[in-house]
Amino acid sequence: MGYSVGQVAGFAGVTVRTLHHYDEIGLLSPSGRSGAGHRRYDDADLDRLQQILFYRELGFPLDEVAVLLDDPTSDPREHLRRQHALLSERIARLQRMAAAVEHAMEAKKMGINLTPEERFEVFGDKDPEQYAEEAEQRWGGTEAYAESQRRAATYTKDDWKRIMGEVDAWGVRYAALVGAGEPAEGEAAMDMAEEHRLHITKWYYDCPYEMHICLGDMYVADERFTAFYEAMAPGLAEHLRDAITANALRKA
């Protein structure tokens, strides 16, 4: 007879409302119905729900999850391998952050003052001031640069953590997109390029499509930016540049 919606909600730690929503949008429709017309889920449905929740934990939007799971050429084992790699990367980062928090707690307890390097090493090399001098030389006279400086001056440490968290989550999803062989001119890649542009607009300065194209070119031309994006996935810098251009043409 399978499992009721309430049972599945209990197994997965989600709400019945969530399962109803997944059914309504076609993401997870139960394989059967009871004599009274109630939803009944089988083991295959539970496997699909597990895949959905894995991708949701990694920050994938529901529409992207549907595309990934409904690809007729996809191999279920490849989904598991990809999710294992992405989750392992996140676990490693969280473990580093947990260790840094423990270190800070122990230092406070013992009255030890951490050095600036020790205090912020958890954030890696994503220092917002890393290229400040060069940025001022390149764009110091532009309104975009002035706006970026005005906004950055108001950000707290928590703001920078949120910004980096958004970048990390976006990078994980874009790396998965590249790994899945999605073309830069495809809808999924263009939508993520648009997310990239909106992130810049949200946190730094208004980034019209023409400027976004220039940034995409710089990600390939400047080896430091290339290295940043290539660390997410091989070939990602050029893929992103092409997706940015395709998105701008789509919006023209």
Side-chain angles (χ1 to χ4, degrees), residues 83-204:
Q83 290 167 338
H84 182 269
L86 295 173
L87 287 167
S88 295
E89 179 181 334
R90 172 169 289 188
I91 288 169
R93 176 170 177 78
L94 290 174
Q95 286 177 332
R96 291 195 298 271
M97 295 196 74
V101 171
E102 290 172 3
H103 184 39
M105 290 170 60
E106 189 64 23
K108 288 289 186 183
K109 180 179 178 181
M110 299 180 66
I112 300 172
N113 290 322
L114 299 178
T115 67
E117 291 79 10
E118 291 171 329
R119 196 180 300 270
F120 295 104
E121 65 183 358
V122 65
F123 301 113
D125 57 2
K126 297 173 184 174
D127 176 6
E129 300 298 324
Q130 186 174 6
Y131 302 121
E133 183 176 348
E134 180 177 345
E136 184 171 8
Q137 292 173 354
R138 285 191 182 188
W139 303 295
T142 66
E143 176 57 31
Y145 177 82
E147 177 64 17
S148 177
Q149 291 297 98
R150 283 194 293 270
R151 294 193 197 180
T154 68
Y155 292 157
T156 65
K157 179 180 173 182
D158 285 340
D159 289 326
W160 288 117
K161 288 172 66 175
R162 182 179 174 189
I163 291 169
M164 290 190 298
E166 290 183 5
V167 171
D168 286 343
W170 178 91
V172 167
R173 291 190 291 118
Y174 203 99
L177 182 146
V178 172
E182 290 286 339
E185 297 78 14
E187 290 291 327
M190 289 191 291
D191 288 346
M192 290 206 65
E194 180 67 5
E195 279 188 48
H196 184 277
R197 187 185 72 83
L198 293 176
H199 175 86
I200 295 171
T201 296
K202 173 183 177 182
W203 291 107
Y204 298 107

Side-chain angles (χ1 to χ4, degrees), residues 5-252:
V5 66
Q7 287 176 309
V8 174
F11 295 154
V14 299
T15 64
V16 170
R17 183 177 178 181
T18 292
L19 293 176
H20 286 175
H21 178 60
Y22 288 174
D23 187 9
E24 290 165 2
I25 65 176
L27 181 60
L28 177 66
S29 297
S31 298
R33 295 274 175 172
S34 69
H38 299 141
R39 295 171 174 85
R40 303 299 295 184
Y41 295 82
D42 62 17
D43 288 337
D45 297 329
L46 297 187
D47 284 342
R48 183 176 176 91
L49 177 58
Q50 182 186 52
Q51 297 297 314
I52 292 168
L53 296 181
F54 277 148
Y55 279 122
R56 291 295 287 153
E57 178 65 25
L58 290 164
F60 285 72
L62 290 177
D63 55 349
E64 289 186 26
V65 174
V67 170
L68 286 166
L69 294 182
D70 294 333
D71 180 357
T73 65
S74 70
D75 179 352
R77 291 171 298 181
E78 181 58 34
H79 279 300
L80 290 173
R81 283 192 291 268
R82 181 188 304 134
Q83 290 167 338
H84 182 269
L86 295 173
L87 287 167
S88 295
E89 179 181 334
R90 172 169 289 188
I91 288 169
R93 176 170 177 78
L94 290 174
Q95 286 177 332
R96 291 195 298 271
M97 295 196 74
V101 171
E102 290 172 3
H103 184 39
M105 290 170 60
E106 189 64 23
K108 288 289 186 183
K109 180 179 178 181
M110 299 180 66
I112 300 172
N113 290 322
L114 299 178
T115 67
E117 291 79 10
E118 291 171 329
R119 196 180 300 270
F120 295 104
E121 65 183 358
V122 65
F123 301 113
D125 57 2
K126 297 173 184 174
D127 176 6
E129 300 298 324
Q130 186 174 6
Y131 302 121
E133 183 176 348
E134 180 177 345
E136 184 171 8
Q137 292 173 354
R138 285 191 182 188
W139 303 295
T142 66
E143 176 57 31
Y145 177 82
E147 177 64 17
S148 177
Q149 291 297 98
R150 283 194 293 270
R151 294 193 197 180
T154 68
Y155 292 157
T156 65
K157 179 180 173 182
D158 285 340
D159 289 326
W160 288 117
K161 288 172 66 175
R162 182 179 174 189
I163 291 169
M164 290 190 298
E166 290 183 5
V167 171
D168 286 343
W170 178 91
V172 167
R173 291 190 291 118
Y174 203 99
L177 182 146
V178 172
E182 290 286 339
E185 297 78 14
E187 290 291 327
M190 289 191 291
D191 288 346
M192 290 206 65
E194 180 67 5
E195 279 188 48
H196 184 277
R197 187 185 72 83
L198 293 176
H199 175 86
I200 295 171
T201 296
K202 173 183 177 182
W203 291 107
Y204 298 107
Y205 51 82
D206 183 48
C207 183
Y209 293 103
E210 296 82 358
M211 181 179 291
H212 202 208
I213 289 175
C214 292
L215 290 175
D217 290 338
M218 184 176 68
Y219 298 156
V220 175
D222 190 312
E223 62 183 16
R224 291 164 301 178
F225 285 101
T226 302
F228 174 79
Y229 286 107
E230 292 294 301
M232 298 177 183
L236 194 147
E238 289 191 11
H239 194 285
L240 175 59
R241 177 201 58 191
D242 295 343
I244 287 172
T245 300
N247 181 58
L249 293 174
R250 175 178 65 163
K251 300 291 185 178

